[in-house]
């Protein structure tokens, strides 16, 4: 039963990270920060934008099962954020979204922003896991 609880918790934490990632990505787009940096990435805050990002955030959150506890949520979050970052840059942008290698058709700084936004997901997920772990003691 404990393993099922860990799976549920990491999925939920990944969803929280996905929500944080989505809200900050939307905010940067709405405020024109992405456009200022020359990146054409300004999603609308709609269910069609949020829902898939929550689900994928939860699925990617399962990576955190590899190391249940870590003293450094920043490092753990950054390391695990490399998975969705690489998938976004090398699979989603070029093949699913047709935005070219690394999403460069959106702007030259796209890879940097993807790393930044996915780091928010990873750190947010690690932070939520830390909070929920303290609540169980």
């Amino acid at each position: 039963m404990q393993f099922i609880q860990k799976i549920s918790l990491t999925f939920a934490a990944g969803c929280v990270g996905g929500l944080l990632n989505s809200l900050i990505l939307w905010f940067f787009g709405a405020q024109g920060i992405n456009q200022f940096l020359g990146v054409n990435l300004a999603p609308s805050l709609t269910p069609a934008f949020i829902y898939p990002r929550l689900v994928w955030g939860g699925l990617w959150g399962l990576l955190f099962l590899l190391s249940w506890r870590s003293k450094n949520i920043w490092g753990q979050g950054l390391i695990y954020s490399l998975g969705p970052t690489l998938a976004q840059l090398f699979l989603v942008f070029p093949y699913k979204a047709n935005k070219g290698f690394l999403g460069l058709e959106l702007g030259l700084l796209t890879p940097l922003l993807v790393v930044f936004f996915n780091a928010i997901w990873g750190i947010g997920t690690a932070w939520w896991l830390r909070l929920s772990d303290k609540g169980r003691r």
Side-chain angles (χ1 to χ4, degrees), residues 57-80:
L59 292 173
W60 281 110
L62 297 175
L63 285 174
F64 284 81
L65 289 170
L66 299 174
S67 172
W68 184 246
R69 296 176 193 253
S70 175
K71 294 182 186 211
N72 183 350
I73 64 171
W74 296 90
Q76 185 182 27
L78 291 173
I79 292 295
Y80 288 135

Side-chain angles (χ1 to χ4, degrees), residues 88-105:
Q88 183 74 38
L89 294 175
F90 293 105
L91 297 173
V92 175
F93 278 148
Y95 299 109
K96 187 170 188 227
N98 295 317
K99 298 300 178 187
F101 181 68
L102 303 175
L104 292 175
E105 288 180 18

